[in-house]
Amino acid sequence: MWESLSMSEHDPGEQRRRQQQTEFAESVTGTIEATPNRRAEYVELDTMGSPRSSDGSANKRRLSVEQTLDDAATAVEDTASNQHVKIEYDAGGFSLKKLLRFVGPGILVSQALLDPGNIESDISQADTSGYKLLWLLLLAHILCIFVQSLAARLGVVTGRHLAQHIRQQYPRPLATVFWLLTELAIIGADIQEVIGTATALHILTGIPIWAGVVITAVDSFLFLYVQRLGVRVTELVFGLMVTTLAVCFWVEMVLIKPDAREVIKGMVIPRIPQGSAVQAVGIVGCVLMPHNLFLHSALVGSRKLDRREETREGAIREAMRYFRIETAVSLVYAYLINMAVVVVFCKAFELMRAEGIAYVASLAEGANVLSHVLGNGSKYVYAVGLLAIGQSTTMTGTLSGQYVTEGFWNMPVKPWQRVLITRSISLVPALIVALTAAAHIDLLSEIINVLQAIVLSFTIIPLLKLQDHAEVMGPEFAFGRVARMSAAFLTLAIVTLNAYMVASVIPLDSPSMYVALCAVVIVYVLVLSYTAAFPLRCVWSRRMVVDRAPPAIRWLFGRAALAVDVGAPT
């Protein structure tokens, strides 16, 4: 045993901390007996996996019980009782009352599918393709249900969220790249949300866009107060925000009287109009958001399950079933709202073209289009819905960033600090866009969508890779053969679609641009291949944290072999 451990074992505070960590590890693995005398055997290894002397050399690696058990903690853990919902396990059938206790994470996740960037994509879709891509919008939401359910599944089974797993399983340089890309994607989405909310304030009050940007950046601190009221109140507030947007566009859809036959044809007949391939790929990219996967895998941790050995598997399977239902209902709800936006503007643009009136298909000009077709009051209904969803998505974006930072760096970030950092970063580019010209907002949205597509590929591969390992998920929850093949096909499809979307927006007007594109594609493929091929670093087995990679692989990737027994009594 290390000397530092021997000196601290008589400290009452240290003993209490050690006991709390051991108890929490038991709740995660379901295999460790929570006894105060539990110790760990330490193995000191160099980067090649060979034992090192205990002479205090700087390159020595030490893995303690505290480090091991802290890795299993979720970012949503909080001592306040109102930040969790305790779920009692029973072996009975489906219960609507119990389902309501699981409702919440899916509602927060659905916000990203309805943010101002997605509404602008819906408006653009209505202008270029009409009703003809409604089937693809539906397919994208179904695909999103599947992917988000996998993110929730990871959090429920392991008790840890995606950011924590990536930090543990991949080497630090690659994990740092993941973190930077994810933060850029979150900040990019945050810029769209801030601009969208500022646009709504401009429509409602007439204040300049730049002033709306400043107000939006500041009033996000109200979210901190909402969080203090508890997880259920927070989920209720977000649900009301989404419902506000739904009511606004459903009312306008009824008033504008779209062609129901064309709507149904658009939903059930697959077709892609000529020249709309990029738009079609963009629809999928706007629905599958990378930071949503991190968010969902963390939010499910707010439900505290009965993880005792005798009930662990049943409680987890029950939670997965209810979370799948809740996710499906929430995202179908989001689809109906997105569909309403497309239908409303399809009919509005059709009427404008029939009258020979010029229009601009953008988020800022959407109010003027509706005002001309439905009357002056419709633009305020549009603005109220846009304001509600803009505010709620800025809050969920902050929450996503909080979990990502905590997970990748294993350090707690206070909510007010996270709001201050994200708002300070996103405020500058948002103000630049607001002060230069409204036309640049469309270009900025296009750049952000490309960034989201790139980051999604680096997020979906670790998510599906983790689900395939029995040492991470447990043999009873790991992917089977069919699920493994489906995951491989899904990964290939998403990466291909996103690569096509990225390549389609690059202007290939000179040989140098072709060379640059080829170089980018090669680097992109190599990094993704490395991400997919890299063997998981350390995995939780029944009693040990182990490294399953063979020696040659450990040498190739410069890894240490870890073997830490967390169950042997002293």
Side-chain angles (χ1 to χ4, degrees):
M1 291 300 169
W2 287 343
E3 189 174 314
S4 59
L5 180 61
S6 301
M7 293 176 62
S8 62
E9 63 182 355
H10 300 295
D11 183 3
E14 184 68 16
Q15 291 178 356
R16 284 195 302 272
R17 181 172 178 268
R18 191 184 306 280
Q19 183 176 1
Q20 291 172 355
Q21 291 172 330
T22 306
E23 291 172 352
F24 182 72
E26 181 193 26
S27 70
V28 175
T29 63
T31 59
I32 303 174
E33 295 181 7
T35 58
N37 294 326
R38 216 37 101 170
R39 296 279 187 88
E41 297 297 330
Y42 299 93
V43 180
E44 300 179 7
L45 304 165
D46 63 10
T47 56
M48 298 296 295
S50 303
R52 295 292 302 268
S53 61
S54 57
D55 58 356
S57 59
N59 294 328
K60 187 190 315 181
R61 297 189 59 178
R62 296 179 175 181
L63 184 63
S64 65
V65 176
E66 289 85 356
Q67 291 170 323
T68 303
L69 299 184
D70 282 346
D71 283 346
T74 56
V76 292
E77 186 179 6
D78 197 304
T79 55
S81 60
N82 66 354
Q83 298 300 321
H84 300 114
V85 179
K86 188 175 181 181
I87 307 294
E88 298 291 342
Y89 170 68
D90 60 73
F94 175 81
S95 168
L96 180 61
K97 183 178 180 181
K98 174 162 278 192
L99 174 63
L100 294 177
R101 294 184 64 79
F102 285 92
V103 170
I107 294 176
L108 271 70
V109 167
S110 70
Q111 313 281 315
L113 282 68
L114 300 166
D115 68 359
N118 273 300
I119 292 178
E120 185 161 21
S121 176
D122 293 338
I123 296 173
S124 177
Q125 176 187 340
D127 179 46
T128 58
S129 308
Y131 304 102
K132 296 178 181 178
L133 291 180
L134 285 176
W135 68 272
L136 185 59
L137 187 64
L138 175 60
L139 183 63
H141 281 74
I142 294 174
L143 180 62
C144 188
I145 291 172
F146 176 69
V147 175
Q148 291 295 154
S149 296
L150 289 179
R153 184 175 184 266
L154 178 68
V156 170
V157 173
T158 66
R160 291 171 289 168
H161 59 76
L162 182 58
Q164 292 172 320
H165 279 291
I166 292 176
R167 174 177 59 84
Q168 292 173 344
Q169 307 297 355
Y170 286 93
R172 179 166 293 182
L174 188 59
T176 302
V177 171
F178 286 156
W179 172 72
L180 288 173
L181 289 174
T182 306
E183 289 290 352
L184 287 174
I186 293 173
I187 291 169
D190 193 50
I191 292 171
Q192 289 179 309
E193 292 150 6
V194 169
I195 291 289
T197 308
T199 301
L201 291 173
H202 171 70
I203 297 170
L204 290 172
T205 64
I207 64 173
I209 296 292
W210 67 265
V213 168
V214 175
I215 293 173
T216 304
V218 172
D219 69 8
S220 296
F221 284 92
L222 292 174
F223 173 56
L224 304 181
Y225 177 75
V226 175
Q227 273 191 308
R228 292 176 64 89
L229 299 178
V231 63
R232 298 301 277 173
V233 174
T234 303
E235 293 166 350
L236 177 62
V237 170
F238 283 114
L240 292 175
M241 295 283 196
V242 175
T243 302
T244 301
L245 177 68
V247 170
C248 289
F249 276 102
W250 288 347
V251 167
E252 293 190 329
M253 184 171 63
V254 171
L255 294 176
I256 207 168
K257 298 177 182 178
D259 188 340
R261 181 178 299 178
E262 288 296 318
V263 173
I264 295 175
K265 281 177 59 179
M267 292 176 62
V268 299
I269 300 178
R271 48 186 172 164
I272 298 178
Q274 186 176 4
S276 300
V278 177
Q279 178 74 41
V281 175
I283 290 173
V284 179
C286 288
V287 172
L288 290 172
M289 310 288 281
H291 60 273
N292 245 12
L293 302 179
F294 292 98
L295 179 64
H296 206 173
S297 64
L299 288 176
V300 295
S302 62
R303 270 56 178 180
K304 293 306 174 186
L305 309 180
D306 185 356
R307 294 183 183 267
R308 292 175 298 171
E309 180 66 22
E310 62 271 18
T311 60
R312 177 181 177 274
E313 182 175 351
I316 289 176
R317 291 193 183 279
E318 179 187 64
M320 289 193 300
R321 181 173 69 251
Y322 282 116
F323 275 129
R324 280 196 299 268
I325 296 173
E326 189 255 355
T327 300
V329 172
S330 298
L331 298 189
V332 168
Y333 188 37
Y335 169 73
L336 294 175
I337 300 173
N338 277 317
M339 183 198 69
V341 177
V342 174
V343 167
V344 166
F345 280 98
C346 276
K347 186 63 177 181
F349 293 151
E350 180 183 319
L351 295 175
M352 295 281 282
R353 287 191 291 265
E355 297 178 15
I357 301 175
Y359 62 86
V360 178
S362 68
L363 189 70
E365 294 298 322
N368 294 331
V369 172
L370 294 178
S371 179
H372 178 81
V373 174
L374 294 176
N376 195 51
S378 63
K379 73 176 183 180
Y380 296 109
V381 176
Y382 169 81
V384 168
L386 186 60
L387 178 63
I389 200 63
Q391 282 287 272
S392 62
T393 51
T394 56
M395 297 174 186
T396 53
T398 298
L399 201 57
S400 299
Q402 179 181 336
Y403 291 136
V404 166
T405 302
E406 289 177 351
F408 274 108
W409 297 107
N410 196 28
M411 63 179 184
V413 178
K414 294 181 180 179
W416 70 267
Q417 294 173 335
R418 179 67 204 181
V419 172
L420 183 62
I421 293 171
T422 54
R423 285 298 165 269
S424 299
I425 295 174
S426 62
L427 184 62
V428 175
L431 279 174
I432 291 174
V433 173
L435 291 173
T436 53
H440 291 277
I441 297 178
D442 298 335
L443 177 60
L444 179 64
S445 296
E446 189 174 83
I447 295 173
I448 291 172
N449 290 337
V450 169
L451 176 63
Q452 299 275 6
I454 294 173
V455 177
L456 178 62
S457 300
F458 290 101
T459 307
I460 198 73
I461 289 177
L463 174 65
L464 297 179
K465 187 178 176 67
L466 287 163
Q467 309 268 344
D468 190 38
H469 282 262
E471 293 88 350
V472 174
M473 302 294 291
E476 63 272 42
F477 298 112
F479 275 165
R481 180 178 300 177
V482 175
R484 187 179 300 115
M485 294 176 61
S486 301
F489 175 77
L490 175 64
T491 302
L492 183 62
I494 290 176
V495 170
T496 303
L497 287 173
N498 288 332
Y500 175 79
M501 186 176 75
V502 172
S504 64
V505 300
I506 298 177
L508 300 177
D509 51 4
S510 66
S512 60
M513 292 303 299
Y514 277 98
V515 174
L517 177 61
C518 291
V520 170
V521 169
I522 291 173
V523 173
Y524 182 70
V525 171
L526 287 176
V527 176
L528 285 181
S529 300
Y530 181 87
T531 304
F534 187 86
L536 297 186
R537 179 187 295 275
C538 310
V539 290
W540 281 87
S541 69
R542 283 297 180 185
R543 296 178 62 83
M544 301 182 73
V545 181
V546 296
D547 190 332
R548 297 296 189 193
I553 295 297
R554 291 202 303 270
W555 178 84
L556 178 63
F557 291 98
R559 296 161 48 187
L562 305 177
V564 181
D565 189 351
V566 292
T570 57

